[in-house]
Amino acid sequence: MKKTFSYLLIAILAGALSIFVSSYYQKFTEQQEFNSFLEKAGLVSSLHNDASEKFKTVLDFSEVSREDFELTLDQIITNSKEAYNLINNIDSKTTTKEQELLHIATIHWLKGIELFEVSIISLIDNPNSEKIQESIAQSIADFSVGDRAYDEFLFLIKQNSSDEGTFLPVLYTIEYVGIEDNSYRFADLLVDKAQSGSGGLFLRRNLAISGAEFKPNPLARTEEGYSVLQNDKVELQIVLTNEGNVDAYDVVILVLVTDEFGDTVHEQQAKINSIGPQESRIFYSDAIDIEPGVVHEWFIKLEELEKEENLNDNLFEVFGFIPPES
């Protein structure tokens, strides 16, 4: 009887020990997994802290170049994708509330910035876009969901930070837009601010013929504005200017010379590889012989760029003649 009791006691103690060891190991494993999660959470927090600070500069819509604006948005998206991948690839047997909240935050922040980029660039390229506020409002709503989830994540982490064995990393306070109660109102304000204060952002395509002068230099100018030309081959020095803020490529220029009877004396077409923003280029027309005593017109035209707004300065005309031989 005593032996039976001893065996039973040993079995109970062994079972209790096994349960204790199993429970301790499970808790230890969970703690290790949680600390591993916290390590990645610290990286996520650092990435989004940097991204959210950059986002504030984007919302400023100050006089910034289009290139810098897009570069900043790309950096924010890169950070957001890296943060999302860190959280999305966590290998854990259990999912804690903290993990769920941080996952919600990272996915909504990423959705928000990607939609924001598409919407704002669309607005910049097409200032009169209809219903653009709707997509911007949706991006603001996504940011707000992310901010709220991250705020709850921080609250839970601080509650559990005193647990033994928890190694708390640096976790920043992050806010893209805050708890926004009216994303449509926010979107309307952003559109107004962007349209009124970002002249450097909106693409302006505008080529112009700034002036033209005969070579060799004219002898005089008549009251009608005709140039009195030397008795030599005549060419025209034409000044082309890119008055926009985006590079113009493959600029096509047409030169048509007609006499006072309407007959075409010469025509020329050429292509300029590129003209940078606010840059001027000199183009020389072909040197040609014209009949003395006959007024000639040089008509110059720049082919319009895609979505070029002002076409009036793409045309230019000058008149000249060689005095008749005496």
Side-chain angles (χ1 to χ4, degrees):
M1 186 71 171
K2 288 183 179 181
K3 288 184 178 181
T4 302
F5 179 76
S6 297
Y7 290 148
L8 181 61
L9 181 60
I10 292 172
I12 291 173
L13 290 174
L17 179 62
S18 176
I19 293 172
F20 173 77
V21 171
S22 177
S23 176
Y24 177 81
Y25 179 77
Q26 182 178 353
K27 186 175 181 181
F28 176 78
T29 302
E30 290 175 355
Q31 189 65 59
Q32 290 293 97
E33 288 181 351
F34 190 64
N35 284 335
S36 176
F37 160 71
L38 287 177
E39 183 180 357
K40 291 187 176 181
L43 295 174
V44 168
S45 183
S46 178
L47 287 166
H48 273 291
N49 181 58
D50 179 63
S52 62
E53 290 301 314
K54 284 184 171 67
F55 188 66
K56 290 181 176 65
T57 67
V58 169
L59 293 183
D60 183 47
F61 291 111
S62 58
E63 292 296 326
V64 62
S65 71
R66 171 68 175 266
E67 182 180 1
D68 290 340
F69 184 78
E70 292 188 350
L71 179 61
T72 301
L73 284 176
D74 287 342
Q75 289 172 342
I76 295 171
I77 290 177
T78 297
N79 280 19
S80 298
K81 286 182 176 178
E82 184 177 348
Y84 172 75
N85 288 332
L86 280 170
I87 295 302
N88 199 47
N89 294 324
I90 289 179
D91 184 17
S92 177
K93 295 179 181 178
T94 59
T95 302
T96 64
K97 182 65 174 177
E98 292 89 340
Q99 286 175 279
E100 290 178 354
L101 287 170
L102 192 56
H103 183 267
I104 291 171
T106 55
I107 193 171
H108 279 278
W109 280 337
L110 178 57
K111 286 170 60 179
I113 189 58
E114 288 182 330
L115 182 56
F116 181 85
E117 181 190 41
V118 172
S119 304
I120 290 296
I121 296 300
S122 177
L123 171 66
I124 291 171
D125 288 345
N126 303 283
N128 299 318
S129 298
E130 295 182 1
K131 297 183 178 180
I132 197 67
Q133 282 93 335
E134 291 185 11
S135 59
I136 295 176
Q138 181 58 56
S139 73
I140 298 303
D142 283 325
F143 277 126
S144 185
V145 170
D147 288 352
R148 187 182 297 110
Y150 184 79
D151 189 58
E152 292 180 22
F153 159 78
L154 284 184
F155 177 77
L156 284 182
I157 288 294
K158 288 176 181 178
Q159 274 192 330
N160 299 329
S161 61
S162 58
D163 290 355
E164 185 178 352
T166 299
F167 301 103
L168 196 63
V170 175
L171 297 172
Y172 297 92
T173 299
I174 297 171
E175 184 177 279
Y176 280 89
V177 298
I179 311 303
E180 180 55 43
D181 61 345
N182 193 327
S183 56
Y184 279 92
R185 184 176 66 234
F186 198 141
D188 288 338
L189 291 174
L190 282 181
V191 170
D192 290 341
K193 192 174 183 180
Q195 290 178 332
S196 63
S198 55
L201 292 177
F202 286 83
L203 295 182
R204 297 191 304 276
R205 296 180 174 87
N206 186 32
L207 292 177
I209 302 171
S210 304
E213 187 60 72
F214 287 109
K215 295 295 177 182
N217 291 330
L219 300 170
R221 195 177 301 274
T222 67
E223 291 182 358
E224 295 89 349
Y226 299 165
S227 293
V228 181
L229 307 175
Q230 299 183 37
N231 191 6
D232 200 349
K233 284 184 176 292
V234 182
E235 66 178 351
L236 202 59
Q237 176 184 286
I238 306 165
V239 182
L240 312 177
T241 303
N242 182 354
E243 297 184 351
N245 61 3
V246 62
D247 289 307
Y249 297 100
D250 297 330
V251 178
V252 176
I253 182 171
L254 306 171
V255 180
L256 180 66
V257 185
T258 57
D259 60 24
E260 61 188 41
F261 309 109
D263 295 327
T264 299
V265 174
H266 177 77
E267 56 183 317
Q268 176 185 359
Q269 177 175 309
K271 182 180 291 185
I272 294 90
N273 290 335
S274 65
I275 308 177
Q278 304 304 310
E279 179 185 359
S280 293
R281 297 281 298 272
I282 302 297
F283 175 79
Y284 289 92
S285 70
D286 293 336
I288 61 172
D289 290 313
I290 62 171
E291 182 182 350
V294 178
V295 175
H296 289 73
E297 175 190 11
W298 277 256
F299 177 78
I300 310 121
K301 177 184 178 182
L302 284 177
E303 286 196 354
E304 65 183 89
L305 300 174
E306 182 181 0
K307 296 182 180 179
E308 184 172 359
E309 296 179 4
N310 182 17
L311 300 178
N312 294 331
D313 50 11
N314 288 39
L315 305 175
F316 202 89
E317 58 183 10
V318 290
F319 296 85
F321 69 96
I322 296 174
E325 298 177 0
S326 54

